[in-house]
Amino acid sequence: RLQKDIEADPSKQFENLLGQPKGLLPVGGVPLLDHWLRAFRASGGLVGPVIIVTNEFFHRQFTEWAVSRGLGRNAVVNDGTTSNDTRLGACADLQLALTERADVIGDRDVLVVAGDTLFFQDFSLRAFLDALPSERSGVVTYEIGDPQETKKRGIIEKDATGRATRLLEKPDPSETTSRSACPAFYAYRHSCKELITKFIAEKASEPLEAIDAPGRLLAWLIERTPVHAMPVSGRFDIGNLKQYRDTLAFYQQTLDADLDSLKGEGVVVARAYARAALVGNPSDGFGGKTLSLLVRNFHAEVKVRPTDHLVFVPHPEYDRDTEFANMGELLLSTELNGYYGGLRLLRATAKRFASLCERAHIPLEKNFTMSYDTNIPRMVGLSGSSAIITAAFRALLQFYGKPEEGGASGLLRRLGVHDYEMPQHVLDVEAHELGIVAGLQDR
């Protein structure tokens, strides 16, 4: 789909990427695989050696990449196929790598990552590997908001301990209550190698589809060995040209030249956490009292940095509002994200902040670029939109608050706003600026 979009794009901006494998597409100024290689090398020796499996068509490109990154040409395994019709399938390619490079793999566990997979920036490979129970293989999951998305994903069901109990490949939403999508990222224990060989042997006489999607192997393994499912906030989907453009824009605005989160003079990062109601919900919307608590597992994060113009950066997952598969997807996406996704929250917060400053005769003498990310599950009562607004307010106060005048607290005083009044201003952004029905406890 991406290659066809590039061919049809009248701007010809990405014409140089025709014939380029997804794993080598530039993201953040470097090939996508560079992001993974950086994570592997930052794992403290937990990951290595690196092996890439490809076909004859892309073999030269991946070999050049591997040699230039110090991996050597032997890091690339060529399955010898030259077309989609003659492909071996992802599972057979995995088995090929385990066989061809058995001497360097030895008795190590195996981490399998699809070449077009990229997680949100809060993902830590080291943290994932450290937290993985020693007796279990591991996968990651992220929550999808649109129920119809289950038809495009592998969906994991798990028990209270996090053990995966079943994987359904692209199920109808009526077939499962789970909305936990499982991308192609698997940490298989050494003991799984024999099971993988057995799976390939069992499926040898079946159509290619039986061993093509790696999720089919995972579903088979879940029934035979313990697999632990760990949540992540989400992944970048680079299925078409628009999604690729959105991902490029997000990385351009949020990473520096070293692929680190932008930091330095003038850059501000603020967080706000999810909220869960215990007692009284929803009486706070009618003058009543409630008891709530913060959930530190989930947060929204807003980043503000100085720039020449005022820019709000679309999130590649939550602000995809110009292209849909059909009218049903349009309807569900709008119900989940509103008409502007998270961007409307940032813009409305900035507008409310600017109004407060104007009323207090405080000049705003510099511009900024504002971006956001969140791992708070949507539509489950954890105040995800309120957290984005709260984080944005905090970021703006820190960004415009001058150290010599007391920083953010000093700016609040100059605005004539007390700390205890801030929840009301956050509520006003939702209720008055955007028409969202909400109560004070969300803040």
Side-chain angles (χ1 to χ4, degrees), residues 113-124:
V113 183
D116 60 353
T117 296
L118 197 59
F119 297 148
F120 291 171
Q121 290 162 255
D122 62 347
F123 173 73
S124 168

Side-chain angles (χ1 to χ4, degrees), residues 9-162:
D9 179 28
S11 75
K12 305 301 180 183
Q13 178 183 358
F14 299 99
E15 196 171 29
N16 63 308
L17 299 181
L18 287 172
Q20 188 91 322
K22 279 188 179 180
L24 297 181
L25 288 174
V27 176
V30 299
L32 188 155
L33 283 184
D34 275 19
H35 295 274
W36 282 112
L37 185 59
R38 190 167 186 261
F40 297 159
R41 289 173 170 169
S43 69
L46 294 178
V47 178
V50 176
I51 300 169
I52 302 106
V53 187
T54 184
N55 55 29
E56 174 65 27
F57 188 75
F58 292 129
H59 180 251
R60 179 185 60 80
Q61 291 160 283
F62 278 113
T63 300
E64 290 176 351
W65 176 84
V67 170
S68 69
R69 298 320 189 259
L71 300 175
R73 64 177 61 197
N74 289 332
V76 182
V77 174
N78 183 357
D79 71 7
T81 63
T82 57
S83 69
N84 191 57
D85 292 336
T86 61
R87 70 189 188 279
L88 299 183
C91 301
D93 273 346
L94 172 59
Q95 172 66 13
L96 177 66
L98 294 176
T99 303
E100 293 282 325
R101 296 293 183 267
D103 55 332
V104 297
I105 296 175
D107 60 356
R108 294 180 176 91
D109 299 330
V110 178
L111 180 66
V112 182
V113 183
D116 60 353
T117 296
L118 197 59
F119 297 148
F120 291 171
Q121 290 162 255
D122 62 347
F123 173 73
S124 168
L125 177 60
R126 177 64 183 267
F128 166 81
L129 294 173
D130 285 344
L132 187 63
S134 59
E135 75 281 4
R136 296 182 181 182
S137 294
V139 298
V140 298
T141 63
Y142 64 95
E143 296 303 305
I144 55 176
D146 181 353
Q148 297 302 314
E149 280 288 306
T150 62
K151 298 178 181 179
K152 306 175 186 177
R153 315 289 179 195
I155 302 298
I156 283 279
E157 295 178 343
K158 57 186 177 181
D159 64 20
T161 71

Side-chain angles (χ1 to χ4, degrees), residues 376-392:
I376 300 176
R378 293 174 291 171
M379 307 298 289
V380 293
L382 290 179
S383 300
S385 61
S386 300
I388 293 174
I389 294 172
T390 301

Side-chain angles (χ1 to χ4, degrees), residues 337-360:
N337 301 318
Y339 287 100
Y340 309 104
L343 283 183
R344 61 175 182 159
L345 304 176
L346 301 185
R347 185 171 175 176
T349 304
K351 188 258 187 183
R352 172 64 56 155
F353 177 81
S355 297
L356 290 172
C357 292
E358 183 178 60
R359 186 185 67 186

Side-chain angles (χ1 to χ4, degrees), residues 14 98 117 170 242-243 263 290 332 344 358:
F14 299 99
L98 294 176
T117 296
K170 301 179 180 179
K242 181 187 181 300
Q243 292 169 350
K263 49 185 177 289
T290 63
L332 284 167
R344 61 175 182 159
E358 183 178 60

Side-chain angles (χ1 to χ4, degrees), residues 230-251:
M230 299 175 63
V232 297
S233 58
R235 62 175 286 238
F236 293 98
D237 193 352
I238 311 178
N240 57 46
L241 184 55
K242 181 187 181 300
Q243 292 169 350
Y244 181 53
R245 287 181 191 270
D246 290 344
T247 301
L248 290 182
F250 187 79
Y251 267 80

Side-chain angles (χ1 to χ4, degrees), residues 294-317:
L294 296 181
V295 183
R296 290 191 176 271
N297 305 66
F298 303 108
H299 66 267
E301 184 173 276
V302 171
K303 182 179 299 179
V304 175
R305 63 184 177 92
T307 49
D308 292 336
H309 297 90
L310 200 63
V311 180
F312 297 97
V313 182
H315 194 285
E317 177 68 18

